Amino acid sequence: MAEDYTKVPRFMGGPAGWISIVFPAVLFVYFMGLLPEVAEVPILRGMDWVPSLGIRLSVLLDGLSMTFALLITGIGTAVTLYSSRYLGDHPHYPRFVCYLLAFMVGMLGLVLSDNLLSIFVFWEVTTISSYLLIGFNADKAVSRRSALQALLVTGAGGLTLLAGIIVLGNVAGTYEVSGIVAQGDLIRNHPMYLAILLMFLAGAFTKSAQVPFHFWLPNAMAAPTPVSAYLHSATMVKAGIFLMARMNPVLGDTPVWFWVLTIFGGVTAVFASVMAIRQTDIKQVLAYTTLMALGTLTMLIGAGTHYAISAAMLFLVVHSLYKAALFLMIGIVDHSTGTRDANTLSGLGRAMPLTAIAAALAALSMAGIPPLVGFVGKEYMYKAGLGLEGGAMYWVIAMTFAASALMFVAGGIVAWKPFTGKMGQTPHKAHEGPWQMLAGPLVLGALSLTFGLLPDLLGEYIVGPAARAVYGPHEDLHLHLWGGFNAALYLSLATFAAGWLLYLCHQKLRGFLARFEASNPVDFDAGWDRLLDGFKAFAAWQTALIQNGSLQRYMAVIFATFIVLVGGTYLFKGAFDGAIGLSAAEVHPVQWTVLALIIVGAILVTWTHSRMTAVAGMGVVGIGVSLIFITFSAPDVAITQLLVEVLVVVLVSLVMLRLPYLPRRSTKTFRAGHAVIAGGVGAVITFLMLSVLGSDFDPRLTEFFEKSSYPDAHGRNIVNVILVDFRALDTFGEITVVTMAAIAAYALLRGIKKSTPDEKET
Amino acid sequence: MELLLAVTIGILVATSVYMMLDRNVLRFLFGLVLLSNAVNLVIFAAGRLTVGAPPLIADGAYAPDGPIANALPQALVLTAIVIGFGLLAFALALVYRTYMSLGTVNSDEMRIAEPEEAKK
């Protein structure tokens, strides 16, 4: 790793480091204490959070969430301890710790929540903290791009998931997982089942990086190595797996579920294993093996038998143990030698014996070699496959076989080749890592061995309860290291043989894959860039169309929108019905005259190209309006209108003396498009008025003012009382507005003499 | 009468919108004046029309006897008229100032904030 920053010396990362190590460690011990209790009966507690929306803050601690909680806190402790040395002297280490702890809390909340909406909230917390952690080296363009890509892909999936949650919540009538699980049959037979399923899977597949949404995960390796070990291998990317496991009792056990999960999972597993062999950067190898694990887990959950679910839960633990150890190990190698290139690294075993031991334990588990727990896990997967029927059996076994054989190869690339043979030339001289960084991988490796030798320990307390939580009640699970001579064992042996052969020729294979990749037109990562470019081009096109900088265009768009929205709503809602009762009968001749005056004035303003005629037209309209006010019993309003109208005419005339004539062209050219828009707005307003006037009038507010005007405010002119008493603050605001307008106008006109070129005004 | 008034308001709005779609800001301003008149009429008419009964309380009475015109929209319109006047006065000063500084009243030629992009 290139250390291109100014180091800040901190012992074990300083206070931030201490807090970050102690926090998960304490939680880990706490969850361990609950383990025997949860293995018997799940714990369910909660309280109302937003009762009006049915959101509860509730905790469900069953075998599944316990498994995840232990992984999050246990591996979390190893990773924070590791980071305190790996990044402890980085200037932004405290910031890193904040992100990491935020993630930890979000992930714990996600697995412990019993409410789907709070699951979603925590889901997004992990998305955002993952974004911040991938982009931790924000001065590098690659980091920023990868971070944004991860955020957009998983964020889009998250929003789809939210839609799915809301639909499911409506169907089930509750957002509590414990309540929804009880209604599995109802939901599976509901017409919305398919939509719910697809929306949930969109969330799960993006988060857990299934093909075709896988491309963000290898890019996420731009994050510091502890982050890759923790988020993008052991915990966060398994949130999608968690969701599918959680929802298995509700959405599972249907043909769609079975085939979608097994096919996408299987394809992801095999595709990722092949791609893993292709990589030369060991961290990328590990990233693709993580994809393989996620694919396998998806496939097993899809298969859905008790064996398959147990195998999935077992593999979940197995994978987290060995993969976190391997990532941390490669971080040590990188830290020590300055490279992660599989072609350069070799013979490190002598210089870094402890790292080599940790790597060996983890890689043996990944390759599935006894007596490591990885072997137990692989046996179980084969048993799960053998337990299926027909085509499904062949599919699951074939996918498992291919992926496992390739994992064997990947294990060799990651942990055999770098440590054996002749010492390679590396940028720095290899040396053993510090204890803080070795502790995690060694303990995890030791656990892989322990659980391999004592698989029932794992089965009874963790995998068994987890499988019960996902599958439902079932007889106890017994895990064996040695299950006798059976089909699974023979498959395992065949896997080793195939893996060994592939390892021997893996460098040739890599060359072949590189050539194939170069000629392959389907590139998801480049496709992503094209998608983003397309979005940007669309935005640019749309901006140029609507916001071209012309005031005319803006006004036209605004008015057209008004017509479509208001007019359209009225059309669809049938709100014109009330207008039918109105008629033009009983109109006094004076009223006819006043209305005609207004219309003539308005048309005059529009028609004329003389400024003075326009001003006169405006005056006519204003006076006509004030005549309407006086006709319909509003003397105060009429007087004000008249005064203001006079002021307007005076003011406009004054300014007119200084401004140019109205250009003839713009006056005489009839603008048909604008006329249509103008006519449309006018028509909408007319119909709006008609439907308002045709509907019933609610006089309560008016009656209140009429009743309380004199007794409460001692005024006989109700309009005045409203203005100065009931709505006095409004009037005060009005005065303020007029004053502000006057001050602003003064400010505008003040310096005008100095800055103007004169003689322009004709 | 309501029918005719609604039609009149519609025509008033149509002419003002047509004016506001002009690129000459002076005509835009005229449109604004017409529009504020139209809107005042809308608010006023929405409170229903009553002939010959202003919202006043007779001497000695505590409340109006018999139906009177709706006082609330009248109060609202009064406020609106004054605010509309403030808006017009300010906009007029703005147009004047703009013309003095830029030498044009054509909104398409006012491009200091949003310069015309180079033609591709």
Side-chain angles (χ1 to χ4, degrees):
Chain A
M1 187 186 67
E3 286 162 347
D4 46 2
Y5 52 81
T6 330
K7 290 190 175 183
V8 183
R10 292 190 191 96
F11 177 65
M12 300 266 302
W18 285 103
I19 293 169
S20 74
I21 299 166
V22 170
F23 175 70
V26 168
L27 280 177
F28 181 74
V29 173
Y30 171 73
F31 282 119
M32 283 301 279
L34 291 174
L35 192 56
E37 188 189 341
V38 173
E40 300 296 323
V41 188
I43 300 174
L44 179 61
R45 292 199 190 115
M47 57 174 210
D48 281 335
W49 187 8
V50 190
S52 57
L53 293 175
I55 300 178
R56 279 169 60 81
L57 201 60
S58 44
V59 170
L60 173 63
L61 189 57
D62 61 0
L64 180 66
S65 34
M66 180 54 105
T67 306
F68 270 92
L70 288 177
L71 289 176
I72 294 161
T73 51
I75 295 179
T77 311
V79 165
T80 47
L81 179 65
Y82 183 97
S83 310
S84 72
R85 184 61 196 255
Y86 187 82
L87 278 172
D89 51 10
H90 192 287
H92 296 316
Y93 175 70
R95 182 190 297 174
F96 173 82
V97 168
C98 284
Y99 297 160
L100 205 63
L101 289 185
F103 165 75
M104 208 180 280
V105 172
M107 192 69 201
L108 274 176
L110 167 58
V111 298
L112 293 175
S113 291
D114 186 43
N115 186 294
L116 282 176
L117 290 174
S118 41
I119 284 184
F120 169 76
V121 171
F122 289 119
W123 181 279
E124 295 294 272
V125 171
T126 65
T127 300
I128 291 165
S129 47
S130 154
Y131 166 72
L132 292 170
L133 285 166
I134 298 171
F136 181 66
N137 294 318
D139 49 344
K140 295 197 179 69
V142 182
S143 292
R144 293 198 300 272
R145 175 182 182 269
S146 305
L148 190 63
Q149 188 180 51
L151 179 72
L152 291 177
V153 173
T154 54
L159 288 180
T160 322
L161 171 65
L162 177 62
I165 287 175
I166 291 171
V167 176
L168 178 59
N170 279 338
V171 170
T174 173
Y175 288 111
E176 299 296 304
V177 173
S178 43
I180 293 172
V181 165
Q183 312 181 49
D185 285 328
L186 172 94
I187 289 155
R188 272 187 290 271
N189 294 319
H190 197 274
M192 293 302 283
Y193 168 75
L194 190 64
I196 295 171
L197 176 67
L198 292 181
M199 286 190 275
F200 268 80
L201 290 185
F205 280 12
T206 47
K207 196 81 164 179
S208 287
Q210 301 296 302
V211 171
F213 306 115
H214 62 281
F215 52 89
W216 71 265
L217 186 55
N219 287 339
M221 295 300 132
T225 299
V227 174
S228 307
Y230 191 38
L231 270 73
H232 304 120
S233 176
T235 55
M236 188 195 87
V237 288
K238 298 214 174 83
I241 304 296
F242 170 82
L243 185 73
M244 289 186 275
R246 220 351 139 231
M247 286 294 121
N248 182 50
V250 185
L251 301 173
D253 201 21
T254 63
V256 190
W257 170 274
F258 179 90
W259 287 111
V260 171
L261 264 64
T262 47
I263 289 175
F264 276 89
V267 168
T268 304
V270 174
F271 167 79
S273 316
V274 173
M275 289 302 289
I277 310 300
R278 152 80 186 87
Q279 308 302 320
T280 52
D281 178 350
I282 295 186
K283 205 174 164 188
Q284 286 293 325
V285 177
L286 291 177
Y288 277 101
T289 58
T290 303
L291 276 181
M292 167 272 173
L294 296 171
T296 308
L297 287 169
T298 305
M299 180 171 75
L300 288 171
I301 291 176
T305 59
H306 182 253
Y307 257 124
I309 297 290
S310 306
M313 292 302 114
L314 177 58
F315 186 56
L316 178 80
V317 178
V318 168
H319 171 258
S320 297
L321 290 179
Y322 76 65
K323 190 53 64 63
L326 286 175
F327 265 114
L328 296 178
M329 177 280 290
I330 195 60
I332 300 175
V333 171
D334 189 11
H335 215 254
S336 162
T337 63
T339 180
R340 299 191 306 241
D341 185 359
N343 292 326
T344 317
L345 292 169
S346 68
L348 296 175
R350 202 154 304 168
M352 314 173 71
L354 291 172
T355 314
I357 291 174
L361 286 173
L364 287 172
S365 187
M366 174 157 91
I369 293 171
L372 276 298
V373 73
F375 174 73
V376 185
K378 182 157 51 60
E379 292 284 281
Y380 236 77
M381 283 191 253
Y382 281 134
K383 280 185 195 162
L386 290 165
L388 296 171
E389 284 164 7
M393 179 179 86
Y394 293 110
W395 170 259
V396 170
I397 287 180
M399 292 298 123
T400 311
F401 182 84
S404 301
L406 288 162
M407 275 315 95
F408 188 96
V409 184
I413 297 174
V414 170
W416 176 259
K417 198 173 159 292
F419 294 97
T420 55
K422 227 179 94 207
M423 190 80 151
Q425 280 297 316
T426 51
H428 304 303
K429 193 163 156 27
H431 57 86
E432 187 58 279
W435 72 268
Q436 295 98 324
M437 290 167 67
L438 280 168
L442 279 173
V443 169
L444 292 171
L447 280 176
S448 288
L449 183 62
T450 313
F451 287 141
L453 294 170
L454 303 165
D456 249 352
L457 203 63
L458 194 60
E460 191 176 332
Y461 286 107
I462 295 184
V463 176
R468 268 203 299 283
V470 178
Y471 182 78
H474 196 271
E475 62 189 86
D476 281 353
L477 176 79
H478 289 289
L479 299 176
H480 310 281
L481 182 60
W482 175 250
F485 291 99
N486 54 23
L489 182 66
Y490 298 132
L491 278 167
S492 275
L493 293 175
T495 312
F496 294 146
W500 180 248
L501 286 174
L502 283 171
Y503 178 70
L504 289 181
C505 60
H506 82 267
Q507 273 165 334
K508 269 180 205 153
L509 206 62
R510 183 183 290 156
F512 170 74
L513 285 170
R515 280 194 298 282
F516 176 74
E517 200 180 50
S519 64
N520 182 8
V522 184
D523 182 344
F524 290 97
D525 205 31
W528 168 259
D529 282 339
R530 276 199 297 281
L531 186 71
L532 279 196
D533 287 346
F535 264 125
K536 285 188 208 156
F538 174 73
W541 169 79
Q542 184 218 37
T543 308
L545 186 76
I546 302 173
Q547 300 190 313
N548 65 343
S550 153
L551 182 66
Q552 261 183 316
R553 179 73 67 86
Y554 293 174
M555 297 305 293
V557 169
I558 291 169
F559 284 128
T561 312
F562 172 82
I563 296 174
V564 171
L565 288 188
V566 180
T569 311
Y570 265 66
L571 272 183
F572 284 114
K573 298 280 177 186
F576 291 135
D577 304 349
I580 294 165
L582 301 168
S583 76
E586 296 175 32
V587 179
H588 197 272
V590 173
Q591 294 172 352
W592 275 107
T593 321
V594 171
L595 294 182
L597 207 62
I598 293 177
I599 294 171
V600 167
I603 291 175
L604 198 64
V605 178
T606 320
W607 196 250
T608 185
H609 55 82
S610 148
R611 298 173 311 176
M612 279 308 147
T613 317
V615 174
M618 286 194 304
V620 169
V621 172
I623 287 166
V625 171
S626 72
L627 283 175
I628 290 196
F629 289 146
I630 195 89
T631 314
F632 294 104
S633 320
D636 296 319
V637 187
I639 293 166
T640 315
Q641 167 79 14
L642 208 59
L643 286 174
V644 164
E645 212 49 57
V646 171
L647 264 178
V648 167
V649 169
V650 170
L651 212 62
V652 173
S653 312
L654 266 177
V655 175
M656 266 340 123
L657 295 175
R658 299 269 191 148
L659 288 180
Y661 291 108
L662 293 174
R664 277 168 184 277
R665 176 181 53 85
S666 137
T667 316
K668 287 297 173 195
T669 326
F670 180 68
R671 292 158 294 146
H674 289 175
V676 168
I677 292 177
V681 177
V684 169
I685 294 283
T686 298
F687 284 117
L688 203 83
M689 281 310 297
L690 289 177
S691 61
V692 167
L693 293 172
S695 57
D696 289 333
F697 181 65
D698 179 356
R700 275 178 299 174
L701 204 51
T702 310
E703 280 167 1
F704 163 79
F705 287 122
E706 286 172 2
K707 263 189 227 133
S708 23
S709 186
Y710 188 72
D712 290 356
H714 305 289
R716 296 190 179 280
N717 184 332
I718 303 176
V719 175
N720 287 4
V721 168
I722 293 176
L723 283 175
V724 299
D725 204 306
F726 292 114
R727 296 168 49 86
L729 267 181
D730 256 19
T731 308
F732 179 69
E734 172 200 338
I735 295 169
T736 315
V737 168
V738 173
T739 315
M740 289 298 294
I743 294 172
Y746 173 72
L748 275 172
L749 301 176
R750 198 169 48 137
I752 210 153
K753 286 257 161 54
K754 284 172 240 160
S755 64
T756 39
D758 13 348
E759 307 309 320
K760 252 189 182 174
E761 45 234 62
T762 43
Chain B
M1 181 62 193
E2 279 86 353
L3 180 67
L4 289 180
L5 189 61
V7 171
T8 309
I9 292 173
I11 294 172
L12 204 50
V13 168
T15 52
S16 61
V17 169
Y18 186 76
M19 298 284 280
M20 290 175 82
L21 288 170
D22 203 297
R23 64 168 69 84
N24 184 322
V25 287
L26 215 49
R27 287 170 67 83
F28 178 91
L29 214 56
F30 293 167
L32 200 63
V33 173
L34 292 183
L35 191 64
S36 63
N37 273 321
V39 170
N40 289 344
L41 279 182
V42 167
I43 299 172
F44 183 70
R48 302 302 186 271
L49 304 172
T50 313
V51 182
L56 301 169
I57 302 170
D59 271 343
Y62 276 83
D65 48 339
I68 54 164
N70 191 348
L72 184 60
Q74 293 193 17
L76 295 179
V77 168
L78 259 178
T79 310
I81 290 173
V82 177
I83 299 250
F85 172 70
L87 173 68
L88 172 80
F90 175 70
L92 208 57
L94 202 58
V95 167
Y96 179 54
R97 174 74 215 213
T98 309
Y99 176 66
M100 287 299 161
S101 297
L102 303 177
T104 178
V105 288
N106 182 339
S107 66
D108 283 353
E109 290 166 15
M110 302 172 186
R111 303 216 61 122
I112 291 177
E114 292 175 85
E116 199 97 49
E117 278 180 43
K119 291 270 179 283
K120 281 165 193 167

